[in-house]
């Protein structure tokens, strides 16, 4: 079985400051890893994904994430946030074998303060 | 724009009624997934279809059913609706049946009154 833990439900940060949104997962099999963003009243947009290879992945809007297998983590980072980054961010895992769906965390609400 | 199209965007209906949500996957995608997003349950996987066949089942209630048609669009049928069924229902699609890249639609907001 798979589970995802997003350690912070809300993260306030000042504009142009760096941010890290934390994600830890549990799985008995190898997984694909994802970050999705949900802007107010919108759908889920894929930010970035880790399938294999380099553990540092870059996504859209200046975000990046690092896969750490030993710590079963996939934290999302951005060196300088903008007001437009205010949104809900979801970490998700997809098992490479077994289940065919994504398992989501409970989300982290990022609020960028002017 | 993810390329996944969902209709209707908003729907208000009464308890006990039945509704159908429709989804068109991205061009070339054979898999369709349905998810429910609610405040208390978060994002819950309901069901997956791949090329017309049910592939995986999640926390889908017996009052709910889905199907994928030969043209690959999918419908989610919700019946005997209860207040607790009010939620945002997402459709998502991927090329294959493994969840290595899944794109989500904008969702269908269902309000049961």
């Amino acid at each position: 079985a798979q589970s995802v833990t997003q350690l912070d439900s809300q993260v306030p940060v000042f504009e142009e400051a760096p941010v890290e949104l934390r994600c830890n997962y549990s799985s008995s099999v190898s997984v694909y890893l994802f970050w999705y963003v949900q802007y107010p009243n919108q759908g889920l947009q894929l930010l970035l994904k880790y399938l294999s290879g380099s553990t540092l992945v870059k996504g859209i809007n200046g975000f990046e994430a690092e896969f750490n297998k030993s710590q079963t983590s996939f934290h999302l980072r951005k060196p300088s946030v903008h007001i437009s980054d205010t949104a809900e961010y979801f970490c998700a895992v997809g098992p490479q074998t077994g289940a065919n769906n994504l398992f989501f965390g409970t989300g982290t609400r990022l609020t960028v303060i002017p | 724009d993810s390329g996944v199209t969902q209709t209707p965007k908003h729907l208000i209906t009464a308890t006990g009624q039945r509704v159908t949500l429709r989804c068109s996957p991205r061009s070339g995608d054979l898999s369709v997934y349905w998810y429910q997003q609610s405040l208390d349950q978060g994002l819950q996987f309901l069901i997956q279809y791949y090329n017309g066949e049910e592939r995986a089942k999640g926390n889908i209630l017996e009052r709910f059913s889905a199907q994928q048609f030969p043209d690959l669009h999918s419908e989610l049928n919700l019946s005997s609706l209860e207040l607790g069924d009010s939620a945002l229902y997402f459709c998502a699609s991927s090329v294959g049946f493994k969840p290595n890249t899944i794109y989500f639609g904008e969702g269908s907001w269902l309000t049961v009154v």
Side-chain angles (χ1 to χ4, degrees):
Chain A
Q2 288 73 35
S3 67
V4 180
T5 302
Q6 291 185 244
L7 298 164
D8 305 298
S9 59
Q10 297 187 56
V11 173
V13 62
F14 286 102
E15 192 174 14
E16 297 183 6
V19 69
E20 178 180 82
L21 305 184
R22 297 180 293 169
C23 172
N24 287 86
Y25 70 92
S26 172
S27 177
S28 55
V29 300
S30 296
V31 294
Y32 306 118
L33 294 156
F34 308 86
W35 277 97
Y36 286 85
V37 59
Q38 185 176 28
Y39 299 103
N41 299 316
Q42 293 190 28
L44 292 168
Q45 182 180 3
L46 180 63
L47 262 183
L48 49 78
K49 61 184 178 183
Y50 171 78
L51 302 183
S52 64
S54 173
T55 57
L56 181 64
V57 292
K58 295 189 184 297
I60 61 172
N61 302 338
F63 284 94
E64 64 180 31
E66 186 157 22
F67 169 50
N68 187 318
K69 188 174 182 178
S70 63
Q71 297 189 5
T72 60
S73 67
F74 191 55
H75 300 332
L76 181 70
R77 302 185 183 99
K78 186 170 183 178
S80 176
V81 296
H82 303 289
I83 296 292
S84 59
D85 293 324
T86 294
E88 190 90 18
Y89 291 79
F90 292 93
C91 181
V93 301
Q96 295 186 19
T97 55
N100 290 334
N101 57 284
L102 296 182
F103 296 85
F104 283 86
T106 51
T108 298
R109 173 73 180 173
L110 173 64
T111 301
V112 180
I113 305 164
Chain B
D1 183 3
S2 67
V4 180
T5 304
Q6 291 188 245
T7 57
K9 293 194 185 312
H10 299 273
L11 191 56
I12 301 175
T13 191
T15 54
Q17 295 298 305
R18 171 190 170 96
V19 298
T20 298
L21 309 180
R22 182 188 168 102
C23 169
S24 293
R26 294 190 329 147
S27 178
D29 285 0
L30 299 179
S31 262
V32 169
Y33 306 78
W34 286 98
Y35 281 81
Q36 179 195 59
Q37 185 181 34
S38 61
L39 285 175
D40 55 344
Q41 298 285 337
L43 273 158
Q44 296 284 318
F45 168 67
L46 296 179
I47 199 164
Q48 178 205 13
Y49 278 81
Y50 175 75
N51 206 19
E53 294 190 5
E54 182 184 306
R55 192 80 189 193
K57 213 166 188 176
N59 300 321
I60 188 166
L61 299 172
E62 285 191 9
R63 300 183 286 109
F64 297 179
S65 65
Q67 55 184 325
Q68 186 179 27
F69 294 87
D71 65 353
L72 301 177
H73 90 272
S74 177
E75 292 181 356
L76 178 67
N77 300 298
L78 314 173
S79 61
S80 303
L81 285 166
E82 303 174 359
L83 296 177
D85 298 326
S86 296
L88 181 56
Y89 290 84
F90 283 114
C91 174
S93 73
S94 64
V95 173
F97 58 84
K98 295 308 293 179
N100 51 15
T101 304
I102 298 180
Y103 293 93
F104 282 76
E106 295 286 307
S108 291
W109 281 98
L110 173 65
T111 303
V112 183
V113 297

